[in-house]
Amino acid sequence: GAGVSQSPRYKVAKRGQDVALRCDPISGHVSLFWYQQALGQGPEFLTYFQNEAQLDKSGLPSDRFFAERPEGSVSTLKIQRTQQEDSAVYLCASSLAQFVRRTMNTEAFFGQGTRLTVV
Amino acid sequence: QKEVEQNSGPLSVPEGAIASLNCTYSDRGSQSFFWYRQYSGKSPELIMSIYSNGDKEDGRFTAQLNKASQYVSLLIRDSQPSDSATYLCAVGNDYKLSFGAGTTVTVRA
């Protein structure tokens, strides 16, 4: 597909359940990001991958959150033992830019997101 | 203090008018600046990017950047009902984007 694809679109989890959210970035995009968007707020950075390397995970809220991109393409965000405060929309974005040096055209494109509701 | 602040909304404008959105940021080292449009229940859609001081025009949209004042704005000319959405200002530092909370715009027919 032409855009960033995320699945599932909606996920309802019981408190304590583990969930896995998938992201298919735009083909050829080196950089991949996960963001968390709470209701009425802007997205908040979670983690950044350049190819398969996770270069920054400083935004992950706790050690219950884990992300991987083993082959430098598809990425999975896993949340263990979900809590109610994890309820949010999880957005994946990808970018052609490598961010190795200052570059122009660092635009990032977002997927449709996964709306996670923990009950 | 939040890294990125946007003018509080909601902003209601009549069809055909100009909508003016403002954004300030705290990190003077920020390098890239973006405006995203987000319809209710949808993902953010990139509508403008700007990297150097001055104005950048794209159709009915004009982005303005003033790095000395740490200020970014977006003007929407000839506003249409389809422009009704939340507009997110995003400021980039290397790979990380910091977003404002968004300004909701409603264009009245």
Side-chain angles (χ1 to χ4, degrees), chain A residues 6 21 32-38 42-48 59-60 65 77 88-94 99 108-110 113-114, chain B residues 36 44 90-99:
Chain A
Q6 292 187 246
L21 313 180
L32 184 145
F33 314 84
W34 285 96
Y35 285 81
Q36 179 191 58
Q37 187 173 23
E44 295 278 346
F45 171 83
L46 294 178
T47 187
Y48 165 58
L60 297 176
F65 287 70
L77 176 66
V89 175
Y90 290 86
L91 295 164
C92 176
S94 70
F99 302 99
F109 299 91
F110 283 83
T114 294
Chain B
Y36 285 84
V91 175
N93 204 332
D94 288 329
Y95 51 83
K96 190 180 295 187
L97 291 176
S98 298
F99 285 85

Side-chain angles (χ1 to χ4, degrees), chain B residues 13-99:
Chain B
V13 298
E15 186 173 357
I18 295 175
S20 177
L21 305 171
N22 301 317
C23 172
T24 57
Y25 59 94
S26 60
D27 186 347
R28 200 170 272 282
S30 300
Q31 303 146 357
S32 51
F33 307 86
F34 307 94
W35 285 98
Y36 285 84
R37 177 175 63 198
Q38 189 171 31
Y39 293 114
S40 181
K42 302 294 185 183
S43 63
E45 174 193 5
L46 181 66
I47 55 172
M48 287 290 283
S49 59
I50 186 165
Y51 300 92
S52 54
N53 283 329
D55 294 0
K56 179 181 178 182
E57 187 175 315
D58 184 359
R60 296 185 295 109
F61 298 100
T62 299
Q64 299 174 316
L65 173 61
N66 183 327
K67 290 186 179 180
S69 301
Q70 295 173 242
Y71 172 87
V72 193
S73 68
L74 180 71
L75 296 177
I76 307 173
R77 291 183 303 282
D78 187 24
S79 295
Q80 302 297 309
S82 59
D83 295 327
S84 297
T86 296
Y87 290 80
L88 297 164
C89 173
V91 175
N93 204 332
D94 288 329
Y95 51 83
K96 190 180 295 187
L97 291 176
S98 298
F99 285 85

Side-chain angles (χ1 to χ4, degrees), chain A residues 1 3-5 23-27 29 31-32 69 72-75 92-94:
Chain A
V4 179
S5 177
C23 172
D24 270 284
I26 294 172
S27 179
H29 277 198
S31 294
L32 184 145
R69 193 187 185 197
S73 178
V74 171
S75 177
C92 176
S94 70

